[in-house]
Amino acid sequence: MIDFSSDVKTLPSAAMRQAMASAEVGDEQAFEDPTVNALCARVAALLGKEAALFAPSGCMCNQIAIASWCRPGEEVIADRSAHIAWFESGGPAANAGVMLNTLDGDRGRFDLAQLQAALRPRWRHCPLPTLLAVEQTCNLGGGAVWPLPQLQAVAAFAHSEGMHTHMDGARLLNAVIASGVAASDYAAPFDSVWLDLSKGLGAPIGAVLAGSREFIERAWGVKQRLGGAMRQAGILAAAGLYALDHNVERLRLDHQNARALALGLSQIGGLMIDPTTIETNLVFFDVDAQVLGFDAATFASRLAALGYKMGPFDARRVRAVTHLDISAENVQQALAAVAKVCAG
Ligand SMILES: *Cc1c(COP(=O)(O)O)cnc(C)c1O
């Protein structure tokens, strides 16, 4: 099965496993794991921040950040498509007691005017907005990249309103490779930012959350509370270091493969996609049931029967993701299979 359903499906390579097996380790939560310490220092430097912590998942990084910045009853402003709103099992409410005020951005990216319009009056009847959260790249926005000036504008406004700013950088390095903007430049307007090691970077587990030394100290308390403090986690951090050494530049190939996939899909009758919108490795397209006589779920199951997995998102939408276990040849093979499914 060639799996386009997510970039979390990458398997650790033999060389990555070798790095994991030979990692020097210690007690992570006592700061005695040299490999975790090295990973945190490396990511903090990459993101231009003072300090960082290692977490088992990106979800936990978002949850730690929200609970570190906000008190119960306060409000987080984010795009309506945000991972924190859709896919964290109500974590912002359950773990931090906050409300989400969601905006209708353009493929996950809202502008300054929308943010300004969303701000409620500072009045004791209203929840206090304390955190602005953005996603770079936007997952449900189809991997769209926020332009740096737009990020700077919304973050500067949030700061002027006394809010903190958080970047969900699950795929930040995809944005970096696509745009040529440095990770530290994207991260600079944000008080906390994290990146995922287990998506396109190909590590089996892990994410790193960065910010000021003071923020990371507070964040450690939440990490402990959520059960995210670990022991000999250097085995996992070694995979992350390996990924940063070997799997960043090659994200360019994933983006090329995504564009080729989108272009091919756009030429198949009954599928709808604008290939010019593909900036990174996420490809969302629509299945037109009026033309094809079946919906996205049926499309995906018929395609899976031919050996290619893509993810139906709702009745119309399908998500296909390129990653390091998908080659240019796999893309052409998948397009042939998709054409076969659509031809009935
Ligand atoms: C995957 C993802 C997360 C969660 O990361 P996990 O490591 O899977 O917990 C958060 N935000 C975005 C945008 C993601 O794509």
Side-chain angles (χ1 to χ4, degrees), residues 52 96 191 199 243 302 316:
D191 301 311
K199 298 262 163 91
R302 291 184 185 174
R316 292 174 65 85

Side-chain angles (χ1 to χ4, degrees), residues 178-215:
S179 66
V181 174
S184 56
D185 288 339
Y186 279 134
F190 294 86
D191 301 311
S192 53
V193 52
W194 63 270
L195 52 86
D196 213 320
L197 300 165
S198 73
K199 298 262 163 91
L201 296 185
I205 290 182
V208 182
L209 173 66
S212 68
R213 224 176 303 281
E214 190 195 350
F215 166 74

Side-chain angles (χ1 to χ4, degrees), residues 8 56-60 62 83 88 135 137 139 168 170-171 194 196 198-199 206-207 319:
V8 301
S57 71
C59 264
M60 193 181 283
N62 278 335
H83 198 277
E88 301 192 7
E135 244 173 63
T137 66
N139 178 0
D168 170 341
R171 296 187 182 82
W194 63 270
D196 213 320
S198 73
K199 298 262 163 91
R319 189 178 84 152

Side-chain angles (χ1 to χ4, degrees), residues 30 56 84 88 90 110 175 184 224 270 343:
I84 56 172
E88 301 192 7
F110 45 85
S184 56
Q224 188 80 41

Side-chain angles (χ1 to χ4, degrees), residues 46-321:
L46 177 68
L47 300 177
K49 301 298 181 197
E50 286 176 356
L53 61 72
F54 187 42
S57 71
C59 264
M60 193 181 283
C61 291
N62 278 335
Q63 295 303 312
I64 289 171
I66 292 169
S68 298
W69 292 127
C70 306
R71 294 172 5 145
E74 294 178 346
E75 190 170 78
V76 177
I77 301 183
D79 190 79
R80 159 190 172 73
S81 69
H83 198 277
I84 56 172
W86 275 82
F87 303 124
E88 301 192 7
S89 206
N95 296 322
V98 297
M99 301 187 42
L100 292 184
N101 180 352
T102 55
L103 313 186
D104 275 309
D106 166 29
R107 303 171 70 226
R109 304 158 300 181
F110 45 85
D111 60 25
L112 178 58
Q114 285 177 297
L115 174 59
Q116 287 169 329
L119 226 59
R120 299 181 215 271
R122 293 208 173 254
W123 193 29
R124 66 185 161 81
H125 292 243
C126 300
L128 190 66
T130 42
L131 186 64
L132 174 74
V134 304
E135 244 173 63
Q136 180 74 309
T137 66
C138 308
N139 178 0
L140 293 187
V145 178
W146 281 80
L148 182 59
Q150 196 172 336
L151 284 175
Q152 290 167 332
V154 294
F157 176 73
H159 282 141
S160 76
E161 288 290 326
M163 302 170 70
H164 284 110
T165 54
H166 172 69
M167 174 180 279
D168 170 341
R171 296 187 182 82
L172 174 60
L173 296 182
N174 291 88
V176 167
I177 292 299
S179 66
V181 174
S184 56
D185 288 339
Y186 279 134
F190 294 86
D191 301 311
S192 53
V193 52
W194 63 270
L195 52 86
D196 213 320
L197 300 165
S198 73
K199 298 262 163 91
L201 296 185
I205 290 182
V208 182
L209 173 66
S212 68
R213 224 176 303 281
E214 190 195 350
F215 166 74
I216 292 299
E217 209 164 293
R218 196 143 29 103
W220 252 102
V222 182
K223 169 171 140 126
Q224 188 80 41
R225 185 188 309 151
L226 294 176
M230 296 178 276
R231 298 300 182 187
Q232 287 71 34
I235 287 179
L236 304 173
L241 285 166
Y242 181 92
L244 291 171
D245 283 336
H246 296 94
N247 294 345
V248 176
E249 270 304 317
R250 64 152 307 288
L251 291 172
R252 208 177 295 287
L253 301 174
D254 297 343
H255 300 172
Q256 283 168 13
N257 288 338
R259 279 194 297 273
L261 178 64
L263 191 63
L265 291 170
S266 73
Q267 290 160 355
I268 296 172
L271 301 181
M272 289 176 298
I273 179 171
D274 176 357
T276 64
T277 61
I278 305 303
E279 294 178 77
T280 56
N281 68 326
L282 306 182
V283 177
F284 283 87
F285 59 97
D286 285 337
V287 172
D288 188 341
Q290 303 264 305
V291 173
L292 294 172
F294 51 78
D295 67 3
T298 304
F299 168 84
S301 69
R302 291 184 185 174
L303 187 62
L306 298 179
Y308 299 90
K309 199 164 168 193
M310 294 184 183
F313 181 72
D314 57 27
R316 292 174 65 85
R317 273 185 118 188
V318 178
R319 189 178 84 152
V321 185

